[in-house]
């Protein structure tokens, strides 16, 4: 059963199955909100902060995710899988490009 993922700073919500990463779910629906990079946990472009909800992760590069990041749920969306509805914000390198309101661009 899919879970609802809300990207707070982009004002986007989408359904994401537990078997797909947050990035895969968003990309499958053709949505923008989380920047897409390598899709394998190595580039850090899709870095997010989970604000609420349950999830599990797969291995990601420690070059982009420190122990402090993990403790504060700052992770790579390509390696995060929802276990419940989630709320998040984008904090990766391209955050301003995808989260700036259209009127400001």
């Amino acid at each position: 059963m899919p879970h609802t993922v809300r990207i707070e700073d982009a004002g986007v919500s989408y359904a994401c199955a537990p078997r797909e990463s947050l990035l895969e779910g968003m990309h499958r629906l053709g949505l923008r909100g989380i920047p897409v990079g390598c899709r394998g946990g190595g580039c850090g472009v899709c870095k997010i902060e989970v604000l609420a909800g349950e999830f599990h992760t797969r291995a990601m590069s420690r070059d982009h995710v420190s122990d402090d990041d993990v403790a504060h749920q700052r992770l790579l969306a390509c390696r995060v899988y929802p276990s419940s509805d989630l709320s998040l914000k984008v904090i990766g390198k391209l955050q301003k490009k995808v989260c700036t309101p259209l009127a400001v661009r």
Side-chain angles (χ1 to χ4, degrees):
M1 181 165 177
H3 301 291
T4 300
V5 177
R6 174 140 180 93
I7 305 170
E8 297 296 338
D9 41 356
V12 174
S13 293
Y14 63 95
C16 187
R19 71 183 182 287
E20 63 186 352
S21 73
L22 301 181
L23 192 64
E24 289 170 334
M26 184 204 67
H27 192 258
R28 172 183 49 79
L29 295 171
L31 298 173
R32 285 184 53 172
I34 303 171
V36 179
C38 72
R39 302 178 194 207
C43 73
V45 169
C46 64
K47 196 167 188 178
I48 59 164
E49 180 178 348
V50 178
L51 303 173
E54 300 295 321
F55 59 89
H56 64 279
T57 63
R58 294 198 177 149
M60 57 192 87
S61 172
R62 287 304 184 163
D63 288 341
H64 303 291
V65 180
S66 67
D67 289 336
D68 186 60
D69 285 332
V70 172
H72 290 94
Q73 300 190 109
R74 296 183 300 251
L75 307 162
L76 302 181
C78 65
R79 309 306 282 168
V80 176
Y81 297 79
S83 301
S84 73
D85 291 351
L86 292 175
S87 173
L88 59 92
K89 67 179 181 177
V90 177
I91 59 173
K93 298 172 186 174
L94 300 176
Q95 182 269 345
K96 289 182 182 174
K97 185 172 181 91
V98 298
C99 295
T100 303
L102 291 173
V104 177
R105 289 185 189 168

